[in-house]
Amino acid sequence: MKFVAKLALASIAVGLLVLGLKWAAYLVTGSIALYSDALESVINVATAIAAFLAVRLSAVPPDANHPYGHQKVEYLSAVVEGVLIVVAALAILRKAYFGLMDPHPFSAPLPGLALNVFASVINAAWCFVLMRYGRRHRSPALVADAKHLLSDVITSVGVVAGVILVVLTGWTPLDSIVAALVALNILWWGWSLMRESVGGLMDEAVSNEILSDIRLVISREAEGAIEAHDLRTRTAGPTVFIDFHLVVPGSMSVEESHDICDRIEAALKEEMNHAVITIHVEPEDKAKMGSGVPVL
């Protein structure tokens, strides 16, 4: 988790650099579309700070008040990021409205565009890094930050195209229209981010692909048992919680059934770096033939 925290901290530095470049682009040109892009970068910095704090807090070991750990704080961070994105979108819409009512021509558009493009390239590269390692380390905060940066890159491309059209056509109201479109796109991304994060806060189950892997491991490692049933999963940050009932023959000793449980737990933890497994052992008359996980 130290590596994840370092990435989150680096995101703050990258966000500040990009914000400086985009704000300079806005000041040079006076473009409302570039203003919208710069304002989203303000949110990038705020969300990067939120992600860093969330990653640090989620790494705190379980304690008496939080026996299951602190991983869900990452989902809360992602929800906060979504709210900030929505606030930024509303601020952009307000600016776009007044700009549409009183449009102004650009000043020095080419230097401004160059600064904005350079900032977008930095954002795209950092987005790739965050998405790659966020998924590898199962960090919702880093993945949320990466998705926000991706939305920023996409909107920046649209902003640059819109500013170029304004320069070529001389139709200045287009600048405010582009800014409004940017705001609507940001609203969509913010809503999507909050929807996914709320799923994590509501103890959403693992994906079907991961569930299939879990069932396969249990089936392969439960030799000596009869079946496993009532399999349930939930996720909290990088941690996957797995619990199920393991049916064993009535003649099997406690030690033998415990050995089977240890073998299954070890295999599941090898399959997933962060897993908490709870197994309830039951006698054979509790079997649910056909509805559980068969033993290979």
Side-chain angles (χ1 to χ4, degrees):
M1 294 303 294
K2 289 183 178 179
F3 177 71
V4 174
K6 288 180 179 178
L7 282 177
L9 184 60
S11 282
I12 299 175
V14 173
L16 288 170
L17 173 61
V18 171
L19 170 60
L21 291 170
K22 288 191 174 183
W23 195 255
Y26 160 63
L27 293 177
V28 166
T29 61
S31 166
I32 297 175
L34 292 181
Y35 165 84
S36 70
D37 212 13
L39 187 58
E40 187 175 6
S41 291
V42 174
I43 302 302
N44 285 349
V45 175
T47 53
I49 294 172
F52 173 69
L53 294 175
V55 168
R56 289 292 300 271
L57 288 173
S58 68
V60 175
D63 54 37
N65 291 328
H66 305 89
Y68 292 98
H70 303 76
Q71 296 91 343
K72 283 193 176 182
V73 71
E74 292 202 41
Y75 292 112
L76 184 60
S77 167
V79 171
V80 172
E81 290 182 31
V83 173
L84 291 174
I85 291 171
V86 171
V87 171
L90 295 177
I92 293 169
L93 285 173
R94 179 179 180 277
K95 184 80 170 180
Y97 171 78
F98 287 112
L100 197 60
M101 295 298 99
D102 186 23
H104 295 283
F106 296 154
S107 57
L110 292 182
L113 284 172
L115 287 169
N116 192 273
V117 169
F118 181 50
S120 299
V121 170
I122 295 173
N123 256 353
W126 190 242
C127 170
F128 174 79
V129 172
L130 287 182
M131 187 66 75
R132 179 181 179 183
Y133 288 102
R135 287 175 173 171
R136 177 178 297 180
H137 294 274
R138 297 180 58 82
S139 171
L142 287 186
V143 172
D145 203 10
K147 288 183 177 181
H148 185 203
L149 287 181
L150 178 59
S151 73
D152 193 15
V153 172
I154 293 172
T155 54
S156 292
V157 172
V159 165
V160 169
V163 172
I164 291 174
L165 283 175
V166 172
V167 173
L168 293 177
T169 63
W171 190 46
T172 51
L174 180 60
D175 184 41
S176 296
I177 294 173
V178 170
L181 292 174
V182 169
L184 293 176
N185 182 62
I186 293 173
L187 278 173
W188 170 252
W189 279 93
W191 162 248
S192 300
L193 178 57
M194 287 190 288
R195 183 180 59 188
E196 291 180 12
S197 302
V198 168
L201 289 172
M202 296 295 291
D203 287 337
E204 190 172 35
V206 298
S207 67
N208 289 332
E209 181 182 356
I210 296 176
L211 182 61
S212 296
D213 292 339
I214 292 172
R215 292 174 65 90
L216 180 61
V217 170
I218 295 173
S219 180
R220 185 182 66 236
E221 301 296 333
E223 183 180 356
I226 296 173
E227 70 168 23
H229 61 241
D230 292 348
L231 172 62
R232 300 185 303 172
T233 65
R234 66 183 179 91
T235 58
T239 304
V240 177
F241 292 87
I242 306 166
D243 69 80
F244 60 92
H245 294 190
L246 184 70
V247 180
V248 301
S251 59
M252 180 175 286
S253 68
V254 173
E255 184 177 0
E256 289 174 317
S257 61
H258 189 268
D259 288 341
I260 296 174
C261 292
D262 283 347
R263 189 169 65 239
I264 295 172
E265 285 188 33
L268 285 172
K269 288 182 178 179
E270 184 177 352
E271 183 75 19
M272 286 164 283
N273 293 330
H274 303 280
V276 176
I277 302 107
T278 303
I279 305 175
H280 178 68
V281 178
E282 294 184 329
E284 55 189 310
D285 63 339
K286 298 292 185 179
K288 299 179 179 180
M289 297 299 183
S291 63
V293 179
V295 177
L296 295 179

